[in-house]
Amino acid sequence: MEPPQTRNKIIAHVDLDAFFVSVEELLNPSLRGKPVIVGGDPSGRGVVSAASYAARKFGVHSGMPSSQARRLCPRAIFLRGSHGIYSQYSHQVMEILGRFTPAVEQVSVDEAYLDLTGCQRLHKAGAVEIAQKIHHAIQAETGLPASIGVGAGRIVAKIAANSAKPNGMMVINPGREAAFLAPLPIGRMPGIGPVSQREYMKLGIRKIGDLSQFEPELLRQVLGNHGAAMARRAKGEDEGHVEFSAGAEGRSGLQSVSREVTYSTDTGDPERIRATVSYLSESVGRRVRRAGLVFDTVTLKLRRASFSTVTRSRALPKAGDDTSVIYRTACGMLEPLLAGSRERVRLVGVGVRAMEKRPEQMDLFLMQREARMEALHRSMDRARDKYGFESALMARSILHGRG
DNA sequence: TCTGGGGTCCTAGGACCC
DNA sequence: TCTGGGGTCCTAGGACCC
């Protein structure tokens, strides 16, 4: 019943501590030890992307509105962030991880899973020593603090890494998974957020150990498949599968591409909203073409002043990668929404879905008919590669930037 | 005093088809 | 002339993650 290879997997989870802030401290050492917050403008509508541990002492955490963070910690140093530089450091760390095992699965800029099973022989060291070497290499070569968790599965490794923060390491020996997890509050389980946490609380489930007492099938009846999966995780039964990452561009298992913007103040101007849709359509189209993909569904998203959010999506008769299709489809969905409500608009988003590799030769008829538009968009893409995205915009997008 | 932006996955109802 | 029923696609919304 039990898959034989699951038993003695060794999975490591590597997580960079307060990543954006740590990079800023490398660039400017005088920031060390101070309350530093990387994120949006505290006098605008931004949120916190990363907070130093000194700032966290004031209750600041990522995702919090920057304005609130400033009230909690008025002396905090707010930085907008240098995302290009973060990417460089991220690549450097991933390159280091790749020297220890080819089985590296990058899950975000600052996190990766490693499958260390069978690496002991290669490195003539135990899993613990290998993890220590990784920790040391990251510190020595980049100066960045990282935390590492090691265990028989992904979940255990991830929670162990979180428990080891900051700049620590925790190893959960085989067979000790359930005992390690049991005393932790259920909110520590990846996949259980604030909403489902309340559902579990109603059932008297407060700790991961409480969750592990439930038969997965019983929990399925009450909380669906998600509940059953969480119950299995709580018992420490967890697939130790690590997916190999492709190159730096990531594997193209990309499911969707989207862009959205929040206005600095809500707008009721339909012309401005249409211009934003045009701008976002161009940006999405460009990224799709750059990735060599096609889409078959377009989605429009509006968030109103009251923060209520609506989405509309439309399947296309044929997959493609044309910006004007995104724009026309999105506008077709926009108009009824604008007509149906007088409430001002806070956010506009445009996205596409169901990505596949662009076929070698697209349908001939389609190509002839749309060749001109495509050629136009591709030459605009080239201009943008040279001079930046804003350098080439359709006239209808220009208004987006105004006011 | 409010609540970013980029994603993933899941659910659920209705249409449509066999 | 009653209420089958399963599979798949489409659409809307929501939870969650970093």
Side-chain angles (χ1 to χ4, degrees), chain A residues 96-117:
Chain A
I96 292 169
L97 300 183
R99 298 208 301 258
F100 289 87
T101 168
V104 178
E105 180 185 340
Q106 182 176 355
V107 288
S108 72
V109 275
D110 62 350
E111 265 183 64
Y113 289 98
L114 278 65
D115 188 342
L116 297 179
T117 315

Side-chain angles (χ1 to χ4, degrees), chain A residues 50-377:
Chain A
S52 69
Y53 284 86
R56 292 184 199 190
K57 285 188 185 143
F58 292 82
V60 175
H61 57 82
S62 60
M64 171 183 283
S66 298
S67 56
Q68 189 184 351
R70 188 166 59 180
R71 278 196 308 282
L72 289 173
C73 185
R75 304 185 59 186
I77 298 159
F78 281 86
L79 302 171
R80 299 307 303 274
S82 349
H83 290 268
I85 296 173
Y86 304 155
S87 293
Q88 290 173 25
Y89 275 96
S90 176
H91 281 120
Q92 197 184 343
V93 171
M94 297 305 153
E95 185 273 323
I96 292 169
L97 300 183
R99 298 208 301 258
F100 289 87
T101 168
V104 178
E105 180 185 340
Q106 182 176 355
V107 288
S108 72
V109 275
D110 62 350
E111 265 183 64
Y113 289 98
L114 278 65
D115 188 342
L116 297 179
T117 315
C119 287
Q120 287 109 313
R121 248 191 8 240
L122 185 66
H123 293 277
K124 295 188 171 65
V128 176
E129 283 174 83
I130 297 173
Q132 279 167 342
K133 284 183 180 176
I134 293 171
H135 195 256
H136 181 260
I138 294 172
Q139 176 65 54
E141 295 180 39
T142 68
L144 291 169
S147 296
I148 304 185
V150 179
R154 298 165 61 102
I155 297 297
V156 165
K158 183 175 170 62
I159 296 179
N162 282 332
S163 304
K165 280 180 175 294
N167 203 25
M169 206 179 98
M170 184 179 287
V171 178
I172 307 304
N173 289 321
R176 300 293 303 158
E177 295 85 5
F180 162 62
L181 296 173
L184 301 175
I186 49 160
R188 294 284 302 276
M189 178 71 81
I192 298 184
V195 175
S196 45
Q197 197 172 330
R198 283 194 292 275
E199 296 300 310
Y200 288 100
M201 292 291 199
K202 281 184 206 160
L203 297 172
I205 301 171
R206 292 183 166 70
K207 296 180 183 305
I208 297 181
D210 302 332
L211 187 52
S212 71
Q213 301 299 309
F214 278 77
E215 269 309 305
E217 276 314 308
L218 189 66
L219 221 47
R220 186 192 304 278
Q221 322 241 331
V222 194
L223 296 167
N225 289 331
H226 190 261
M230 293 303 132
R232 277 192 298 272
R233 285 184 177 186
K235 294 181 204 290
E237 300 167 14
D238 142 38
E239 347 67 53
H241 184 63
V242 170
E243 303 219 350
F244 290 64
S245 297
E249 274 297 306
R251 60 212 162 79
S252 82
L254 197 61
Q255 303 294 307
S256 65
V257 171
S258 65
R259 283 273 278 136
E260 62 186 57
V261 287
T262 295
Y263 294 114
S264 51
T265 54
D266 303 338
T267 182
D269 177 4
E271 279 308 313
R272 182 154 183 229
I273 296 167
R274 286 186 200 105
T276 302
V277 168
S278 172
Y279 171 85
L280 296 173
S281 300
E282 290 192 61
S283 177
V284 168
R286 171 158 196 259
R287 278 159 48 177
V288 168
R289 287 189 295 277
R290 195 191 240 175
L293 299 168
V294 292
F295 54 82
D296 69 0
T297 304
V298 177
T299 299
L300 174 78
K301 174 172 167 182
L302 284 191
R303 177 167 290 150
R304 314 227 192 236
S306 62
F307 215 72
S308 71
T309 307
V310 290
T311 62
R312 291 290 178 269
S313 59
R314 205 60 72 216
L316 303 172
K318 184 157 181 44
D321 67 353
D322 196 332
T323 287
S324 62
V325 171
I326 304 175
Y327 175 68
R328 285 198 308 267
T329 309
C331 275
M333 298 186 284
L334 173 67
E335 296 307 327
L337 289 177
L338 290 182
S341 166
R342 215 152 285 152
E343 196 182 346
R344 291 157 88 86
V345 170
R346 176 189 179 92
L347 169 149
V348 181
V350 171
V352 298
R353 223 184 50 203
M355 318 296 290
E356 283 172 20
K357 279 282 168 209
R358 177 153 36 83
E360 286 294 312
Q361 90 188 62
M362 292 247 292
D363 176 55
L364 189 60
F365 172 74
L366 194 76
M367 282 183 75
Q368 286 169 343
R369 197 159 55 100
E370 297 186 349
R372 266 197 211 127
M373 282 308 288
E374 284 197 36
L376 172 61
H377 284 295

